[in-house]
Amino acid sequence: MMEQEILYNKIFGISGKDFANAGSVSVKIKKILKEIGIKPEVVYRVSICCYEAEMNVIMYARIAKLNFTITPNEVIIIIEDEGPGIENIELAMKEGFSTATQEMREMGFGAGLGLPNIKNNSDEFKIETELLKGTKLFFKIYLN
Amino acid sequence: MQLKEIVNILECKNHTDEGLLWRDIEYCYATDMMSDVLKTCKIGSLLITGLVNQQVIQVAEIMDLKGIIFVSGKEPATEIIEKANEKNLPMLTTEKQLFEACGILYTFGLRGREIFQKADDGTGNSI
Ligand SMILES: Nc1ncnc2c1ncn2[C@@H]1O[C@H](COP(=O)(O)OP(=O)(O)OP(=O)(O)O)[C@@H](O)[C@H]1O
Ligand SMILES: [Mg+2]
């Protein structure tokens, strides 16, 4: 694969259970993309994916790093968390599957749509997980 | 339809800046699930929900929602109202329940994203 020029890169931290700041990283990313002048469709798709991934860290993991990169052709997001990992990825990717607690459901989460939403809004999507270690989510959204 | 008219129709209480009520609403969406909004809601819709918390405001910012109506007389906490004001997000409350509120707005001509409508804003997998 050819090395790509990096136009922008920033790493954000996300803490599990931090419901008070939930979504703030995604909102920051949205603002950056908008300021740079990325077209709205891409801005929305990236923000939606980031929000879903950020919420999953807050709900299920202990801590994570979100690596946000813009190249001339795409936005690349890598989110690596320390957490329980996902037992069955195929199941987790199914719409409607959720292990959200009652408390999370009362906050409006647990529809089991987050991971499918990320997959549907991205152009490339990969998920890796190791039980009791954590989960790594990788997705790309093309600029054109 | 302007938010101002919606305030009248649903007998809403307005919690944010009056000046925001001139906003024109084209589409509405109703749910209590955040991922539903991110999956199906049209960008720039008015959200009608029974879910009253900070998360709704963050999702509103992601989806550039034009406003939020909390139903069933649920009152947002002061922090939530402050946040909405900071973000210029109109926030209304009505005593009407979700079904009733949506039904009334529908009869006044407001619509959601049709299920067969292609995602023209590029989001989601609506076909
Ligand atoms: N980072 C993660 N670490 C551990 N488990 C995860 C992680 N992300 C997702 N999961 C598991 O996968 C399931 C499905 O995730 P998904 O985001 O699709 O739905 P949800 O979070 O349950 O509900 P929603 O996103 O609609 O609010 C979760 O319920 C959880 O069990
Ligand atoms: Mg989720």
Side-chain angles (χ1 to χ4, degrees), chain A residues 49-66:
Chain A
C49 292
C50 285
Y51 182 86
E52 293 287 15
E54 184 179 358
M55 282 319 306
N56 280 353
V57 169
I58 288 165
M59 293 201 286
Y60 310 112
R62 279 189 304 277
I63 195 158
K65 272 203 179 108
L66 185 154

Side-chain angles (χ1 to χ4, degrees), chain A residues 101-128:
Chain A
T101 61
Q102 190 54 34
E103 200 186 349
M104 294 167 186
R105 285 170 203 266
E106 276 160 18
M107 281 192 270
F109 302 102
L113 289 175
L115 290 174
N117 273 358
I118 300 173
K119 188 156 193 253
N120 289 331
N121 275 301
S122 56
D123 293 303
E124 288 179 38
F125 172 85
K126 208 166 65 190
I127 181 166
E128 287 165 9

Side-chain angles (χ1 to χ4, degrees), chain A residues 14-24 54-55 57-59, chain B residues 55:
Chain A
I14 305 168
S15 304
K17 305 275 173 294
D18 185 10
F19 283 96
N21 290 307
S24 58
E54 184 179 358
M55 282 319 306
V57 169
I58 288 165
M59 293 201 286
Chain B
Q55 273 72 52

Side-chain angles (χ1 to χ4, degrees), chain A residues 4-137:
Chain A
Q4 277 220 64
E5 188 190 348
I6 290 172
L7 300 180
Y8 187 94
N9 177 261
K10 199 172 163 90
I11 293 170
F12 297 91
I14 305 168
S15 304
K17 305 275 173 294
D18 185 10
F19 283 96
N21 290 307
S24 58
V25 169
S26 309
V27 168
K28 276 181 202 149
I29 288 175
K30 184 182 177 196
K31 282 189 181 145
I32 294 167
L33 291 169
K34 234 172 127 178
E35 263 164 39
I36 294 177
I38 303 290
K39 70 174 175 184
E41 177 193 327
V42 173
V43 177
Y44 289 123
R45 287 170 62 202
V46 175
S47 327
I48 289 170
C49 292
C50 285
Y51 182 86
E52 293 287 15
E54 184 179 358
M55 282 319 306
N56 280 353
V57 169
I58 288 165
M59 293 201 286
Y60 310 112
R62 279 189 304 277
I63 195 158
K65 272 203 179 108
L66 185 154
N67 192 320
F68 166 50
T69 308
I70 308 174
T71 74
N73 299 316
E74 58 208 9
V75 175
I76 307 168
I77 308 273
I78 301 166
I79 300 165
E80 201 165 3
D81 74 46
E82 287 171 28
I86 299 175
E87 221 175 278
N88 183 336
I89 291 185
E90 205 188 322
L91 201 56
M93 289 303 303
K94 276 218 171 88
E95 284 199 3
F97 175 83
S98 176
T99 61
T101 61
Q102 190 54 34
E103 200 186 349
M104 294 167 186
R105 285 170 203 266
E106 276 160 18
M107 281 192 270
F109 302 102
L113 289 175
L115 290 174
N117 273 358
I118 300 173
K119 188 156 193 253
N120 289 331
N121 275 301
S122 56
D123 293 303
E124 288 179 38
F125 172 85
K126 208 166 65 190
I127 181 166
E128 287 165 9
T129 188
E130 196 176 332
L131 273 184
L132 304 173
K133 281 247 164 84
T135 302
K136 187 174 176 180
L137 211 66

Side-chain angles (χ1 to χ4, degrees), chain B residues 1-10 46 69 105 110:
Chain B
M1 182 187 292
Q2 274 175 353
L3 270 173
K4 247 182 175 12
E5 289 174 69
I6 294 175
V7 169
N8 286 331
I9 294 169
L10 296 181
L46 170 71
I69 303 181
L105 293 181
L110 285 170

Side-chain angles (χ1 to χ4, degrees), chain B:
Chain B
M1 182 187 292
Q2 274 175 353
L3 270 173
K4 247 182 175 12
E5 289 174 69
I6 294 175
V7 169
N8 286 331
I9 294 169
L10 296 181
E11 296 163 14
C12 293
K13 189 163 138 195
N14 177 28
H15 297 269
T16 43
D17 183 15
E18 288 284 320
L20 299 172
L21 297 181
W22 293 102
R23 266 189 204 174
D24 204 42
I25 304 298
E26 252 184 291
Y27 293 95
C28 296
Y29 192 74
T31 186
D32 284 349
M33 297 306 263
M34 294 300 99
S35 283
D36 262 347
V37 181
L38 297 162
K39 181 187 173 193
T40 319
C41 177
K42 224 173 145 65
I43 300 295
S45 294
L46 170 71
L47 178 67
I48 306 148
T49 184
L51 191 74
V52 187
N53 61 26
Q54 302 262 3
Q55 273 72 52
V56 181
I57 314 246
Q58 296 282 29
V59 168
E61 194 164 10
I62 298 279
M63 300 300 281
D64 286 336
L65 298 183
K66 285 197 184 153
I68 299 181
I69 303 181
F70 295 129
V71 294
S72 308
K74 291 180 191 166
E75 287 287 315
T78 326
E79 311 94 75
I80 297 180
I81 297 172
E82 274 168 16
K83 253 212 165 132
N85 265 317
E86 254 170 55
K87 295 177 192 292
N88 280 331
L89 176 72
M91 186 170 275
L92 309 171
T93 48
T94 177
E95 292 294 326
K96 300 202 182 338
Q97 300 194 358
L98 185 60
F99 176 77
E100 210 186 348
C102 295
I104 294 170
L105 293 181
Y106 197 92
T107 62
F108 276 85
L110 285 170
R111 294 292 180 266
R113 167 188 265 171
E114 304 287 341
I115 210 74
F116 51 79
Q117 194 177 328
K118 180 103 179 82
D120 50 7
D121 48 31
T123 61
N125 59 341
S126 330
I127 310 157

